[in-house]
Amino acid sequence: MDFTTTRRIALGGALALPFIRTATAQTTLEWVAGSVGGGWYTMAAGLSSLIREENPDIQIRVVPGGGLANPTRINNGQSQIGWGIDTFSASAVKGTEPYSAKHEKIQCLGTGYSPTEHLLLRHTGAGPADMRGILTQRGLKIGAPQRSSTDEMTLQRILRFLGSSPDKIRAEGGRYLNGSYSDIGAAYNDGQVDYVYVALAKPAALMTEIAQGRRSGRLTAFPDDVRKHMIDEYSYAEGTLEKSDYPALLDGAIPVTMMDSVIVVNESVPAEIVQKITATLIKNQGQRLATIHPSMGGWTPAKAVNYRGVPFHPGAVAAFRAAGVNPPGA
């Protein structure tokens, strides 16, 4: 082999290398979810596995987070994708309470992924049975998730509407305990608190565990004025829990406040990647998503695009259009 031939082969190999690297390049994203053990974390882990299974070039690492902090984390580029709550994500975009600045770098893949009920569980021997009586009683002992969570922020909003607050509860000799879902579940079972406030998609593992534990209880209805206030002031939704949802914790159907999950993404994530992720979700709607978490079983592209709180990512728009639905403004 002469030098010229050798040089041509070497140059040809060198020219081919960039193509090989591009073809095998992987995109790694960080998905910020919820507390470990909660529904969001389980759902993110399952979706990440599904996305990776169908798109080997996309790797997703799931990390714990919270509904209030996630939009900010994604806006700042600390995580590239994650769960958000419809009402709070919309507030983040506008820069309204509880956010102090507009979040201009977040976009979304729509909503409807996990309709989530707010739950107030009471120990049957603890005192009042109605929400107003429970939350305004002296000596109230209640457990709620971390202060960075949408669950806890919602509870604070309800307390404020009823003329109370965490500080007032503590000042009157009560206990306002914050922790992970497993922490507050353990505190309830041990008698450290008599009430638990959480927002979890059904069937919530925490509620199932409590129902099977030594210290069961009952779920509490949300009064009309509380639900109306949450809708009018903060754009929450409302729904109903049926006895069949939690047979051991309900005597009949009760009205509750609700919110829904959105998938939020940083605008810098390439459209091709977001389109692949969205197309994977669309392809696997129905039973496949339900096997990851039952709350996702009713998700459809038509429900996903029924949201105006956060702009849609161009990649998501392309995937939804291919499925025959158009996001707002598309």
Side-chain angles (χ1 to χ4, degrees):
M1 184 179 294
D2 61 22
F3 173 79
T4 303
T5 303
T6 304
R7 188 167 180 269
R8 284 174 182 166
I9 292 173
L11 285 172
L15 291 171
L17 282 177
F19 171 77
I20 293 172
R21 283 198 296 268
T22 301
T24 59
Q26 287 190 336
T27 297
T28 300
L29 304 176
E30 182 175 281
W31 185 310
V32 61
S35 300
V36 175
W40 263 5
Y41 199 91
T42 300
M43 290 157 58
L47 290 179
S48 298
S49 178
L50 173 63
I51 293 164
R52 184 169 56 248
E53 176 186 318
E54 300 205 358
N55 306 275
D57 58 323
I58 303 175
Q59 299 293 314
I60 300 178
R61 179 177 63 254
V62 178
V63 298
L68 286 180
N70 287 1
T72 302
R73 184 179 179 92
I74 295 167
N75 189 71
N76 293 343
Q78 295 167 280
S79 296
Q80 295 74 49
I81 189 170
W83 289 119
I85 291 294
D86 47 10
T87 60
F88 288 95
S89 297
S91 295
V93 169
K94 296 175 183 175
T96 56
E97 190 263 344
Y99 303 96
S100 57
K102 291 182 179 180
H103 290 43
E104 298 178 334
K105 296 181 180 181
I106 61 172
Q107 296 174 340
C108 81
L109 280 63
T111 189
Y113 294 95
S114 182
T116 301
E117 294 83 14
H118 285 255
L119 309 172
L120 175 60
L121 179 79
R122 63 182 177 86
H123 178 47
T124 50
D130 65 291
M131 177 177 278
R132 186 180 301 275
I134 290 168
L135 296 180
T136 58
Q137 65 177 307
R138 295 182 69 88
L140 169 65
K141 296 189 296 182
I142 188 168
Q146 294 96 331
R147 298 296 286 267
S148 62
S149 69
T150 52
D151 319 41
E152 198 273 340
M153 172 63 76
T154 303
L155 176 56
Q156 284 208 44
R157 288 172 168 177
I158 294 173
L159 287 170
R160 187 159 60 241
F161 176 67
L162 297 177
S164 188
S165 68
D167 289 341
K168 184 176 180 182
I169 290 169
R170 295 186 179 108
E172 293 180 347
R175 177 176 296 160
Y176 190 88
L177 176 69
N178 296 106
S180 68
Y181 293 119
S182 57
D183 288 340
I184 59 180
Y188 178 84
N189 286 327
D190 293 342
Q192 297 177 48
V193 296
D194 293 321
Y195 304 91
V196 167
Y197 189 100
V198 292
L200 293 169
K202 62 187 177 187
L206 175 60
M207 293 296 114
T208 302
E209 292 167 6
I210 288 175
Q212 296 172 347
R214 62 181 181 274
R215 197 170 186 248
S216 189
R218 287 291 183 274
L219 290 169
T220 307
F222 283 58
D224 292 345
D225 62 336
V226 170
R227 299 198 318 277
K228 184 177 187 305
H229 173 72
M230 300 304 283
I231 293 168
D232 294 347
E233 190 70 21
Y234 304 108
S235 300
Y236 286 83
E238 61 181 337
T240 302
L241 283 177
E242 303 291 345
K243 180 173 173 56
S244 58
D245 294 326
Y246 297 105
L249 302 176
L250 285 168
D251 297 318
I254 61 170
V256 294
T257 288
M258 291 184 65
M259 56 193 185
D260 211 334
S261 299
V262 297
I263 295 179
V264 181
V265 63
N266 188 282
E267 64 178 10
S268 66
V269 180
E272 177 187 3
I273 298 300
V274 175
Q275 185 172 356
K276 286 183 177 181
I277 291 172
T278 310
T280 299
L281 300 176
I282 293 170
K283 175 185 174 183
N284 290 278
Q285 63 183 295
Q287 186 55 43
R288 182 65 178 86
L289 292 186
T291 60
I292 295 174
H293 197 279
S295 68
M296 290 196 292
W299 180 83
T300 65
K303 290 180 180 178
V305 300
N306 188 27
Y307 180 58
R308 300 179 182 278
V310 177
F312 277 71
H313 191 286
V317 172
F320 284 124
R321 277 180 172 170
V325 295
N326 284 321

